[in-house]
DNA sequence: CAGGTCTCCTGCTAGC
DNA sequence: TGCTAGCAGGAGACCT
Protein backbone atom coordinates (compact mmCIF):
# COMPACT_ATOMS: atom_id res chain seq x y z
CA UNK A 1 0.00 0.00 0.00
CA UNK A 2 1.43 3.34 -0.97
CA UNK A 3 2.41 5.52 1.94
CA UNK A 4 4.00 8.96 1.73
CA UNK A 5 7.43 7.68 0.64
CA UNK A 6 5.94 5.61 -2.16
CA UNK A 7 3.81 8.51 -3.27
CA UNK A 8 6.96 10.62 -3.42
CA UNK A 9 8.59 7.97 -5.58
CA UNK A 10 5.59 7.84 -7.86
CA UNK A 11 5.72 11.62 -8.16
CA UNK A 12 9.36 11.64 -9.16
CA UNK A 13 9.00 8.76 -11.57
CA UNK A 14 5.92 10.18 -13.24
CA UNK A 15 7.52 13.58 -13.63
CA UNK A 16 10.18 12.05 -15.83
CA UNK A 17 7.54 10.67 -18.12
CA UNK A 18 4.43 12.81 -18.34
CA UNK A 19 5.65 16.39 -17.93
CA UNK A 20 4.85 18.37 -21.07
CA UNK A 21 2.60 15.59 -22.34
CA UNK A 22 -0.80 16.72 -23.59
CA UNK A 23 -3.89 14.65 -22.91
CA UNK A 24 -5.47 13.69 -26.25
CA UNK A 25 -8.26 11.54 -24.86
CA UNK A 26 -9.49 9.99 -21.64
CA UNK A 27 -11.42 6.80 -21.15
CA UNK A 28 -13.12 5.96 -17.89
CA UNK A 29 -14.01 2.40 -17.04
CA UNK A 30 -15.02 2.98 -13.44
CA UNK A 31 -16.16 6.48 -12.58
CA UNK A 32 -16.52 6.32 -8.80
CA UNK A 33 -12.83 7.13 -8.46
CA UNK A 34 -13.70 10.68 -9.52
CA UNK A 35 -15.31 12.42 -6.59
CA UNK A 36 -16.24 16.02 -7.22
CA UNK A 37 -17.14 16.28 -10.89
CA UNK A 38 -19.06 14.16 -13.38
CA UNK A 39 -17.34 11.80 -15.77
CA UNK A 40 -18.32 14.06 -18.69
CA UNK A 41 -17.01 17.17 -16.96
CA UNK A 42 -13.75 15.38 -16.08
CA UNK A 43 -13.14 14.39 -19.67
CA UNK A 44 -14.14 17.66 -21.32
CA UNK A 45 -12.06 19.66 -18.84
CA UNK A 46 -8.89 17.64 -19.16
CA UNK A 47 -8.66 16.75 -22.85
CA UNK A 48 -6.21 19.20 -24.40
CA UNK A 49 -4.54 19.98 -21.08
CA UNK A 50 -0.81 19.50 -20.58
CA UNK A 51 0.88 18.17 -17.45
CA UNK A 52 3.09 21.02 -16.20
CA UNK A 53 4.20 19.75 -12.79
CA UNK A 54 3.47 17.20 -10.10
CA UNK A 55 3.39 18.07 -6.41
CA UNK A 56 2.70 16.03 -3.33
CA UNK A 57 0.95 16.96 -0.11
CA UNK A 58 0.89 14.21 2.48
CA UNK A 59 -0.15 11.13 0.59
CA UNK A 60 -1.86 13.12 -2.15
CA UNK A 61 -0.47 13.71 -5.61
CA UNK A 62 -1.26 17.08 -7.13
CA UNK A 63 -1.01 17.21 -10.91
CA UNK A 64 -0.68 20.72 -12.32
CA UNK A 65 -2.25 21.22 -15.73
CA UNK A 66 -2.79 24.42 -17.71
CA UNK A 67 -6.13 25.29 -16.17
CA UNK A 68 -6.69 22.61 -13.55
CA UNK A 69 -5.32 20.78 -10.54
CA UNK A 70 -5.95 17.05 -10.45
CA UNK A 71 -5.61 15.66 -6.93
CA UNK A 72 -5.10 11.92 -6.65
CA UNK A 73 -4.97 9.59 -3.66
CA UNK A 74 -3.82 6.03 -4.27
CA UNK A 75 -5.19 4.60 -1.03
CA UNK A 76 -4.08 0.99 -0.64
CA UNK A 77 -3.65 -0.31 -4.16
CA UNK A 78 -3.64 2.57 -6.60
CA UNK A 79 -0.84 2.94 -9.11
CA UNK A 80 -0.12 4.67 -12.39
CA UNK A 81 1.03 2.50 -15.24
CA UNK A 82 2.57 3.65 -18.50
CA UNK A 83 1.61 1.55 -21.49
CA UNK A 84 1.08 1.72 -25.21
CA UNK A 85 -0.79 -1.49 -25.88
CA UNK A 86 -4.51 -1.79 -26.63
CA UNK A 87 -5.45 -4.45 -24.14
CA UNK A 88 -7.07 -3.15 -20.99
CA UNK A 89 -6.74 -4.85 -17.64
CA UNK A 90 -9.92 -5.00 -15.58
CA UNK A 91 -8.31 -2.95 -12.82
CA UNK A 92 -7.37 -0.09 -15.11
CA UNK A 93 -10.08 2.44 -14.37
CA UNK A 94 -8.98 5.71 -15.95
CA UNK A 95 -6.79 5.97 -19.02
CA UNK A 96 -5.13 9.20 -20.13
CA UNK A 97 -3.91 8.93 -23.70
CA UNK A 98 -1.01 11.07 -24.96
CA UNK A 99 0.51 11.18 -28.44
CA UNK A 100 2.76 8.15 -28.09
CA UNK A 101 1.64 6.28 -24.98
CA UNK A 102 -0.94 6.32 -22.24
CA UNK A 103 -1.05 6.52 -18.46
CA UNK A 104 -3.49 4.27 -16.64
CA UNK A 105 -4.82 4.54 -13.13
CA UNK A 106 -4.85 0.95 -11.85
CA UNK A 107 -6.53 0.15 -8.53
CA UNK A 108 -7.54 -3.34 -7.50
CA UNK A 109 -9.74 -2.27 -4.63
CA UNK A 110 -11.11 0.88 -6.25
CA UNK A 111 -10.50 2.87 -3.09
CA UNK A 112 -8.44 5.60 -4.70
CA UNK A 113 -9.86 9.06 -5.32
CA UNK A 114 -9.46 11.92 -7.78
CA UNK A 115 -10.63 15.50 -7.37
CA UNK A 116 -10.53 18.09 -10.13
CA UNK A 117 -10.38 21.84 -9.50
CA UNK A 118 -9.91 24.89 -11.64
CA UNK A 119 -6.71 26.73 -10.88
CA UNK A 120 -8.46 29.82 -9.57
CA UNK A 121 -9.68 27.74 -6.63
CA UNK A 122 -7.54 27.44 -3.51
CA UNK A 123 -7.34 23.67 -3.34
CA UNK A 124 -6.22 23.77 0.29
CA UNK A 125 -9.67 25.13 1.19
CA UNK A 126 -11.46 22.24 -0.51
CA UNK A 127 -11.78 18.52 -0.03
CA UNK A 128 -9.71 16.51 0.22
CA UNK A 129 -6.78 18.80 1.06
CA UNK A 130 -8.60 20.98 3.55
CA UNK A 131 -8.46 17.98 5.89
CA UNK A 132 -4.72 17.59 5.53
CA UNK A 133 -2.40 19.34 7.96
CA UNK A 134 1.31 20.05 7.72
CA UNK A 135 3.89 17.38 7.08
CA UNK A 136 6.47 16.75 9.81
CA UNK A 137 9.10 18.45 7.61
CA UNK A 138 7.08 21.63 7.40
CA UNK A 139 8.42 24.15 9.90
CA UNK A 140 4.93 25.55 10.33
CA UNK A 141 4.27 22.37 12.33
CA UNK A 142 5.86 23.26 15.65
CA UNK A 143 6.14 21.35 18.91
CA UNK A 144 4.00 23.91 20.74
CA UNK A 145 1.38 23.81 18.04
CA UNK A 146 1.22 20.02 18.19
CA UNK A 147 1.32 19.88 21.97
CA UNK A 148 -1.60 22.29 22.21
CA UNK A 149 -3.65 20.15 19.85
CA UNK A 150 -2.74 17.01 21.77
CA UNK A 151 -4.04 18.54 25.01
CA UNK A 152 -7.59 18.39 23.67
CA UNK A 153 -7.43 14.83 22.43
CA UNK A 154 -8.29 11.82 24.54
CA UNK A 155 -8.01 9.13 21.90
CA UNK A 156 -5.04 6.77 21.72
CA UNK A 157 -1.90 8.34 20.27
CA UNK A 158 -1.83 5.71 17.53
CA UNK A 159 -5.21 6.94 16.31
CA UNK A 160 -4.05 10.56 16.53
CA UNK A 161 -0.97 9.85 14.43
CA UNK A 162 -3.18 8.45 11.68
CA UNK A 163 -5.25 11.64 11.61
CA UNK A 164 -3.93 13.50 8.56
CA UNK A 165 -5.24 16.77 9.89
CA UNK A 166 -2.85 16.62 12.83
CA UNK A 167 0.26 15.35 11.05
CA UNK A 168 0.16 14.72 7.32
CA UNK A 169 1.84 11.68 5.87
CA UNK A 170 1.96 9.00 8.54
CA UNK A 171 0.14 5.78 7.66
CA UNK A 172 -0.50 2.68 9.70
CA UNK A 173 2.99 1.23 9.21
CA UNK A 174 4.91 4.41 10.00
CA UNK A 175 2.75 5.29 12.98
CA UNK A 176 3.82 2.00 14.55
CA UNK A 177 7.45 2.69 13.69
CA UNK A 178 7.33 6.19 15.16
CA UNK A 179 5.80 4.99 18.42
CA UNK A 180 8.27 2.15 18.70
CA UNK A 181 11.26 4.41 18.20
CA UNK A 182 9.94 6.83 20.83
CA UNK A 183 9.08 3.99 23.23
CA UNK A 184 5.53 5.26 23.55
CA UNK A 185 2.69 2.79 23.97
CA UNK A 186 0.16 3.11 21.12
CA UNK A 187 -2.76 3.13 23.56
CA UNK A 188 -1.46 6.11 25.53
CA UNK A 189 -4.08 8.83 25.71
CA UNK A 190 -2.94 11.66 23.49
CA UNK A 191 -3.47 14.34 26.15
CA UNK A 192 -1.29 12.46 28.63
CA UNK A 193 1.83 12.97 26.54
CA UNK A 194 4.38 15.48 27.75
CA UNK A 195 5.83 18.25 25.65
CA UNK A 196 8.99 16.19 25.51
CA UNK A 197 7.06 13.21 24.15
CA UNK A 198 5.58 15.43 21.46
CA UNK A 199 9.05 16.60 20.51
CA UNK A 200 10.21 12.98 20.28
CA UNK A 201 7.24 12.06 18.13
CA UNK A 202 7.84 14.94 15.77
CA UNK A 203 11.53 14.13 15.47
CA UNK A 204 10.86 10.44 14.95
CA UNK A 205 8.27 11.18 12.28
CA UNK A 206 10.78 13.28 10.38
CA UNK A 207 13.45 10.65 10.70
CA UNK A 208 11.30 7.68 9.73
CA UNK A 209 9.72 9.39 6.75
CA UNK A 210 12.96 10.90 5.51
CA UNK A 211 14.69 7.57 5.64
CA UNK A 212 11.83 5.87 3.86
CA UNK A 213 11.74 8.55 1.19
CA UNK A 214 15.45 8.25 0.53
CA UNK A 215 15.15 4.49 0.35
CA UNK A 216 12.11 4.65 -1.86
CA UNK A 217 13.99 6.96 -4.16
CA UNK A 218 16.99 4.73 -4.48
CA UNK A 219 15.37 1.31 -4.65
CA UNK A 220 12.68 1.97 -7.17
CA UNK A 221 13.48 1.76 -10.82
CA UNK A 222 9.95 2.18 -11.94
CA UNK A 223 6.66 2.93 -10.29
CA UNK A 224 5.25 0.27 -12.56
CA UNK A 225 6.50 -2.43 -10.25
CA UNK A 226 5.21 -1.20 -6.96
CA UNK A 227 5.94 -4.61 -5.49
CA UNK A 228 9.60 -3.64 -5.32
CA UNK A 229 8.72 -0.82 -3.00
CA UNK A 230 6.91 -2.69 -0.29
CA UNK A 231 9.51 -5.43 -0.44
CA UNK A 232 12.34 -3.02 0.26
CA UNK A 233 10.53 -1.05 2.90
CA UNK A 234 9.74 -4.14 4.84
CA UNK A 235 13.44 -4.71 5.32
CA UNK A 236 13.68 -1.44 7.19
CA UNK A 237 10.75 -1.95 9.52
CA UNK A 238 11.60 -2.48 13.17
CA UNK A 239 8.25 -3.35 14.69
CA UNK A 240 5.37 -3.41 12.20
CA UNK A 241 4.58 -7.06 11.29
CA UNK A 242 7.51 -8.27 13.40
CA UNK A 243 7.37 -11.17 15.82
CA UNK A 244 10.35 -10.27 17.98
CA UNK A 245 11.41 -6.91 19.38
CA UNK A 246 14.80 -5.94 17.92
CA UNK A 247 15.69 -4.24 21.21
CA UNK A 248 14.74 -6.71 23.96
CA UNK A 249 14.10 -9.83 21.90
CA UNK A 250 10.77 -10.38 23.56
CA UNK A 251 7.56 -11.10 21.72
CA UNK A 252 5.91 -8.25 19.85
CA UNK A 253 2.21 -7.70 20.62
CA UNK A 254 -0.42 -7.25 17.95
CA UNK A 255 -3.56 -5.42 18.97
CA UNK A 256 -6.25 -3.37 17.29
CA UNK A 257 -6.40 0.34 17.91
CA UNK A 258 -9.31 2.04 16.19
CA UNK A 259 -9.63 -1.14 14.09
CA UNK A 260 -6.10 -0.72 12.76
CA UNK A 261 -3.68 -3.56 13.21
CA UNK A 262 -1.04 -2.28 15.62
CA UNK A 263 2.32 -3.77 16.56
CA UNK A 264 4.28 -2.77 19.64
CA UNK A 265 6.61 -4.16 22.27
CA UNK A 266 4.89 -4.36 25.69
CA UNK A 267 8.28 -4.30 27.38
CA UNK A 268 9.91 -1.40 25.56
CA UNK A 269 6.66 0.54 25.18
CA UNK A 270 4.94 0.14 28.55
CA UNK A 271 1.65 1.88 29.18
CA UNK A 272 2.32 4.70 31.59
C1' DC B 1 -15.54 20.37 18.50
C1' DA B 2 -14.20 15.47 19.69
C1' DG B 3 -14.90 11.00 18.68
C1' DG B 4 -17.36 6.75 17.24
C1' DT B 5 -19.31 3.94 13.46
C1' DC B 6 -20.39 2.85 8.80
C1' DT B 7 -19.04 2.72 4.08
C1' DC B 8 -16.41 1.80 -0.04
C1' DC B 9 -14.15 -2.83 -2.65
C1' DT B 10 -11.84 -7.15 -3.69
C1' DG B 11 -7.87 -10.41 -3.05
C1' DC B 12 -6.71 -13.36 0.17
C1' DT B 13 -7.06 -16.60 4.09
C1' DA B 14 -9.08 -19.63 7.46
C1' DG B 15 -12.15 -23.07 8.03
C1' DC B 16 -15.14 -26.51 6.53
C1' DT C 1 -10.28 -30.02 -3.90
C1' DG C 2 -13.63 -26.42 -3.90
C1' DC C 3 -16.37 -23.35 -1.61
C1' DT C 4 -17.76 -19.44 1.37
C1' DA C 5 -17.56 -16.10 5.13
C1' DG C 6 -14.86 -12.73 6.97
C1' DC C 7 -11.26 -9.54 7.07
C1' DA C 8 -8.06 -5.32 6.09
C1' DG C 9 -7.51 -0.70 5.26
C1' DG C 10 -7.55 5.67 4.41
C1' DA C 11 -10.57 8.89 4.80
C1' DG C 12 -15.25 10.98 4.06
C1' DA C 13 -20.13 11.02 5.64
C1' DC C 14 -22.98 10.98 9.17
C1' DC C 15 -24.39 10.79 13.92
C1' DT C 16 -24.08 11.70 18.97
Amino acid sequence: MPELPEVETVRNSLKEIILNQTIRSISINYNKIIKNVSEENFISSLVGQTFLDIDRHGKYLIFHLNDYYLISHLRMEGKYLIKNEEEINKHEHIIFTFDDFNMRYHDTRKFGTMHLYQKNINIFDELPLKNVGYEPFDNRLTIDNLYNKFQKMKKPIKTTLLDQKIIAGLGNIYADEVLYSTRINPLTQTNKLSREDVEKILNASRKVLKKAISLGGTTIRSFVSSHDISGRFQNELLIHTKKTCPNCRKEVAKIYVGSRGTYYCPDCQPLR
Side-chain angles (χ1 to χ4, degrees):
Chain A
M1 62 201 79
E3 298 233 15
L4 184 152
E6 281 129 319
V7 177
E8 180 64 12
T9 303
V10 170
R11 177 175 90 91
N12 289 321
S13 307
L14 276 182
K15 275 179 84 165
E16 310 258 321
I17 299 173
I18 66 163
L19 286 201
N20 301 315
Q21 291 290 329
T22 299
I23 300 169
R24 298 305 178 192
S25 64
I26 296 177
S27 98
I28 299 176
N29 304 316
Y30 180 79
N31 63 19
K32 288 170 80 175
I33 300 289
I34 303 164
K35 295 300 177 185
N36 71 329
V37 295
S38 69
E39 181 174 339
E40 295 75 21
N41 188 326
F42 187 87
I43 294 173
S44 63
S45 300
L46 288 178
V47 169
Q49 297 278 308
T50 301
F51 283 96
L52 303 178
D53 200 3
I54 309 175
D55 252 337
R56 184 186 57 69
H57 187 63
K59 302 177 210 168
Y60 291 85
L61 286 168
I62 305 171
F63 295 96
H64 295 228
L65 297 112
N66 306 80
D67 304 318
Y68 295 91
Y69 293 116
L70 175 61
I71 303 162
S72 165
H73 196 303
L74 307 173
R75 293 291 174 89
M76 277 78 75
E77 310 265 357
K79 46 189 74 99
Y80 284 97
L81 308 177
I82 301 297
K83 293 195 175 180
N84 50 21
E85 64 199 46
E86 293 280 317
E87 193 186 330
I88 305 213
N89 178 288
K90 68 170 177 175
H91 299 301
E92 293 168 354
H93 306 307
I94 298 175
I95 302 178
F96 301 86
T97 299
F98 305 115
D99 287 325
D100 303 316
F101 59 92
N102 55 68
M103 175 176 80
R104 306 179 179 193
Y105 179 70
H106 179 294
D107 190 345
T108 318
R109 293 207 184 149
K110 302 178 171 172
F111 264 30
T113 62
M114 291 188 195
H115 289 77
L116 185 67
Y117 288 104
Q118 290 190 311
K119 271 191 164 173
N120 59 10
I121 300 266
N122 182 353
I123 52 177
F124 295 100
D125 290 341
E126 307 289 335
L127 279 178
L129 296 182
K130 73 171 180 183
N131 287 339
V132 184
Y134 300 130
E135 295 185 3
F137 318 114
D138 194 319
N139 53 24
R140 288 173 292 183
L141 181 59
T142 64
I143 298 161
D144 285 330
N145 180 319
L146 206 51
Y147 179 64
N148 289 338
K149 279 184 189 160
F150 277 19
Q151 292 302 99
K152 290 179 246 164
M153 304 176 82
K154 283 189 173 175
K155 55 187 168 183
I157 183 61
K158 166 70 185 267
T159 305
T160 298
L161 291 187
L162 292 179
D163 185 344
Q164 301 300 299
K165 204 166 190 168
I166 308 298
I167 302 180
L170 291 179
N172 196 39
I173 295 171
Y174 291 107
D176 282 1
E177 295 297 312
V178 165
L179 290 174
Y180 176 70
S181 80
T182 55
R183 302 291 186 251
I184 293 170
N185 186 291
L187 290 169
T188 313
Q189 273 188 31
T190 304
N191 60 358
K192 300 227 168 118
L193 293 169
S194 67
R195 196 180 178 285
E196 194 177 50
D197 290 329
V198 175
E199 184 169 13
K200 281 185 194 164
I201 285 174
L202 195 51
N203 286 335
S205 303
R206 288 186 181 127
K207 201 168 159 185
V208 166
L209 287 178
K210 259 185 194 163
K211 183 173 180 186
I213 286 172
S214 71
L215 262 170
T218 55
T219 52
I220 303 311
R221 286 226 177 79
S222 163
F223 51 90
V224 173
S225 55
S226 69
H227 301 293
D228 292 358
I229 306 177
S230 45
R232 298 296 186 130
F233 280 151
Q234 268 161 22
N235 296 339
E236 300 298 318
L237 299 179
L238 295 177
I239 193 76
H240 194 84
T241 70
K242 299 297 174 188
K243 294 244 183 281
T244 312
C245 171
N247 184 46
C248 72
R249 296 285 152 201
K250 289 188 183 142
E251 198 181 344
V252 167
K254 188 189 178 188
I255 59 173
Y256 286 88
V257 183
S259 76
R260 297 281 175 271
T262 299
Y263 296 80
Y264 76 104
C265 173
D267 254 60
C268 299
Q269 299 166 267
L271 195 52
R272 281 175 278 168

